[in-house]
Amino acid sequence: VRELLFLSAQTGFEFKDEDLNVVVTRSLSLLNSELLAARVEVVRGLAPGLPAVRMDARKMEQVLLNLFINAIQAMPPCGTLSVRTRSGCLGEDLQLNGRVASQFRSGDRLVVAEVQDSGPGVPREHLARVFDPFFTTKPVGEGTGLGLSIVKKIMDLHQGALEIRNVPEGGAVVTLAFRTPGASP
């Protein structure tokens, strides 16, 4: 019920300039026991000195926790969860493709996080629907189909971009992109 209420409300956000690397690190530490139980190797590639991002850190933890939990559940035991951050100016020192790039203008200063798993990836026919409320690929009784729709809602309220795609080596990667404070919307 709480998740359904969140989908229909935009209240309770406290935006501040935050360090995305700190939020990523804190989110990973909250799931440490689940990562250990699933024997998931975590590979961190957190770029030092990222510009601040205007965000609600607690809501962004919710985004990351949902993504990490989905990744853990998608992988067999002993899988690999990779989390990378980077920043730059779009089209200059930062290259993005697809839906994420289309939401920004060339030259926009962005901070990007990527969450990648070593699971089987998302079936191609489901990629366009994964952010729809109540859509799930999990068996009946194992998922509500609200996790990724909530992730999308939070990213939209942060005026950020979100994309999921399969990678050739196997698994899926979710890209989150944010304008830095002072960048034009």
Side-chain angles (χ1 to χ4, degrees), residues 69-70 73-74 135-145:
I69 289 168
N70 279 357
Q73 293 173 348
F135 178 79
T136 183
T137 59
K138 295 176 184 167
V140 175
E142 289 188 31
T144 62

Side-chain angles (χ1 to χ4, degrees), residues 7-169:
L7 281 174
S8 63
Q10 297 183 22
T11 59
F13 278 74
E14 295 181 31
F15 290 96
K16 297 179 187 170
D17 290 351
E18 301 276 358
D19 182 337
L20 184 58
N21 286 341
V22 170
V23 177
V24 167
T25 301
R26 192 169 44 237
S27 300
L28 284 169
S29 70
L30 290 171
L31 284 179
N32 193 50
S33 61
E34 287 86 347
L35 292 163
L36 289 172
R39 298 187 315 253
V40 170
E41 176 188 3
V42 177
V43 176
R44 298 174 199 218
L46 306 181
L50 286 180
V53 173
R54 189 126 186 103
M55 72 170 81
D56 180 313
R58 289 177 47 106
K59 301 293 186 192
M60 201 49 55
E61 281 178 12
Q62 185 177 4
V63 164
L64 293 166
L65 290 171
N66 274 325
L67 296 177
F68 297 158
I69 289 168
N70 279 357
I72 292 167
Q73 293 173 348
M75 294 184 285
C78 302
T80 302
L81 172 67
S82 299
V83 184
R84 294 177 297 280
T85 60
R86 56 197 166 110
S87 68
C89 290
L90 184 62
E92 297 170 19
D93 56 346
L94 181 67
Q95 302 301 318
L96 295 173
N97 297 309
R99 189 177 312 154
V100 171
S102 69
Q103 291 187 238
F104 302 106
R105 292 190 299 246
S106 182
D108 279 351
R109 182 120 179 101
L110 305 176
V111 172
V112 176
E114 293 178 324
V115 177
Q116 183 174 344
D117 66 60
S118 61
V122 179
R124 187 179 199 109
E125 65 271 17
H126 297 315
L127 277 171
R129 298 187 56 211
V130 295
F131 298 115
D132 293 349
F134 304 108
F135 178 79
T136 183
T137 59
K138 295 176 184 167
V140 175
E142 289 188 31
T144 62
L146 289 175
L148 290 178
S149 60
I150 289 172
V151 164
K152 182 173 182 345
K153 177 80 169 182
I154 293 171
M155 288 300 295
D156 289 347
L157 292 171
H158 280 80
Q159 298 180 344
L162 169 69
E163 178 182 60
I164 186 168
R165 65 186 183 346
N166 291 318
V167 290
E169 61 270 18

